[in-house]
Amino acid sequence: MGVGGKFWELLKPYTRFEGFDFLRDKKVAIDLSFWIVQQETALKNQALNPHLRLTFFRTVNLFSKFGVFPVFVLDGTPSPLKSQARMVRFFRFSGIDTSTSNVTEEGVSKERNSAFKRCVNDCMELLELLGMPVLKANGEAEALCAQLNRDGHVDACITADSDAFLFGATCVIKSLRPNSKEPFECYNMSDIEAGLGLKRKHLIAVSLLVGNDHDLNGVQGIGLDKALRLVRGFSEDEIFDKLYEIGKGHVPLFQGEIRCAGDAIPCSDESSPKAKQSHCSFCGHPGSKKAHFKSCCEYCMTDSNDGCLKKSQGFKCNCSSCDKVRKDKDKKKHENWWINVCNLISKETKFPNDEIIEMYMCNNHGEFTEEGPLLEWGDPKTDLLVDFLAYHQSWKPSYIRQRMLPMLSTLYLRELARNPNKTLLVGQYEFHSIQRVKIRYGHQYYEVKWKKAISNELSCAVPVEQSNMLEEEFIEVGDEPIGLLDESIEPQIHVDGCWILTDENPELVHSAFPEEALKFRQEKVWLFPP
């Protein structure tokens, strides 16, 4: 959730949809709890252990297809406020009346948390077998994701919790659309600051007013529009101090759109107001009707000087007197609105909540060494992964190995660029050639052909279960429904006897096999315009 009051809709005008290579070779912190909740929602009662299935495919997809270096973050111990808010939300959406129900909050919490923790532990074991770094937050996962982003350890966060901005995130990816030319729905704090005129402390103030994950209600009677109008009246440096003043019942007054300096005496830039001038009932301008019958007023001056013109329907006089009256009315309306909002805030007990402010402003959401967080990506433990997924998902070992191949080939190409003496892909296949260029959703791939490195061609006919790779022409998994964010995430792999074809990033292929890639470009020069 994050900030209440349809906060994401407020940010929607500042969305950027970024292309396939936006995060290539970049580090990204991922709120694992957010993934698990999404996975259970998308595939509930449709697939075996959806949290494991989609964590596996999403990780392979991010690593190989998008070239991302994922860092997974787990929730730690939630704050007492967060735990209480979770229970309130649970009972609210389940329709349970806590005043009459025999179900205790503690019992529901333990049952829910036990099932969720099992999912988290399963995913953590899977990710470690895949060689991904996994960090545990002191409290909220999105808080540590934001800290890693703010401190420059990662380039972006993947989470749907909008309070990541309140924790200090600078780049948040709310969702991924794999089958799109622009798959990343991205929000930059710099765009939000420029568009809304709100900085981090302003956003925290808004969350205190409209509600957040730690206080679902916020201030009664204040929605997002009122909260925005209120916080924009203060600078970031003073916003918290002013909220404390208002919470104690000290109401700073406004003159029009100009805030007075915290005193109880209204500002005034003019002398005491004067009575409005009398106006002609015929033309509507200053003066009397009798005088205007004798001669035309200065506002209605005509060529014939035959007298004033009759005022039109809905006429508004623009003389200085009327203009001042309108400004005074607007000022009074503004002041009344301001006093009413401040009174609503002052009715709240202990507003603003110090604990929530300190939590959002905290800069220590994880346990790190002096050098910072340990972010290392290792090679997948293939054999252990096969055993793990075969046990939990009932997948055939050959299917698992094939689905891991995009990650393994990506790792192989990266390592080969650094170490040209790298031997074989998965210990069996050597690079043969670039077959063609493929375009999917506007993104370019090389179809790479790999040849099994064997001395005896007859050994290619090894039965599938005795081989480490699935050697069939076509694979279709009809009983594995695809998740909402994971359509067609299965890698593009074709196995044909002693050959396999994989889709690879052109830059990786150029780095690993520069001579072969250059030769291919020269042969297919019409595909690569200067």
Side-chain angles (χ1 to χ4, degrees), residues 118-317:
R118 283 197 298 271
C119 292
V120 171
N121 290 335
D122 288 345
C123 290
M124 181 171 66
E125 185 176 355
L126 171 63
L127 292 167
E128 289 176 346
L129 290 175
L130 284 168
M132 299 294 111
V134 180
L135 305 178
K136 187 172 183 179
N138 293 335
E140 307 302 317
E142 67 268 22
L144 181 52
C145 288
Q147 181 182 339
L148 293 171
N149 185 207
R150 185 183 68 248
D151 294 345
H153 298 298
V154 300
D155 299 282
C157 310
I158 295 180
T159 180
D161 275 327
S162 55
D163 56 2
F165 296 108
L166 282 56
F167 286 112
T170 60
C171 180
V172 172
I173 297 169
K174 183 172 180 280
S175 67
L176 289 139
R177 306 174 302 164
N179 295 344
S180 169
K181 291 183 179 180
E182 297 175 326
F184 298 105
E185 182 183 342
C186 183
Y187 298 81
N188 291 303
M189 189 61 188
S190 57
D191 294 336
I192 295 170
E193 289 180 2
L196 291 175
L198 302 177
K199 296 182 180 294
R200 179 183 173 189
K201 290 182 180 179
H202 288 124
L203 297 182
I204 295 174
V206 169
S207 78
L208 295 170
L209 294 166
V210 303
N212 52 69
D213 282 345
H214 312 274
D215 174 18
L216 299 182
N217 297 321
V219 176
Q220 296 299 311
I222 295 184
L224 192 56
D225 290 340
K226 284 184 180 178
L228 289 172
R229 188 175 171 188
L230 175 75
V231 302
R232 282 173 173 151
F234 304 109
S235 70
E236 186 183 31
D237 292 336
E238 65 182 349
I239 181 63
F240 291 155
D241 291 337
K242 292 303 178 183
L243 288 183
Y244 281 118
E245 288 182 20
I246 296 170
K248 293 176 182 178
H250 303 155
V251 182
L253 298 179
F254 275 66
Q255 166 122 358
E257 292 291 330
I258 304 173
R259 180 169 45 82
C260 299
D263 51 25
I265 303 174
C267 301
S268 178
D269 58 353
E270 297 183 14
S271 57
S272 56
K274 299 179 181 179
K276 181 181 177 181
Q277 285 182 272
S278 61
H279 280 55
C280 171
S281 60
F282 182 76
C283 71
H285 294 130
S288 66
K289 185 175 181 180
K290 182 178 179 181
H292 288 187
F293 271 128
K294 292 180 181 179
S295 61
C296 178
C297 75
E298 60 178 299
Y299 299 95
C300 293
M301 192 66 68
T302 61
D303 294 337
S304 60
N305 201 24
D306 290 337
C308 289
L309 303 174
K310 185 176 181 179
K311 62 183 178 182
S312 60
Q313 187 175 2
F315 169 82
K316 288 185 179 180
C317 178

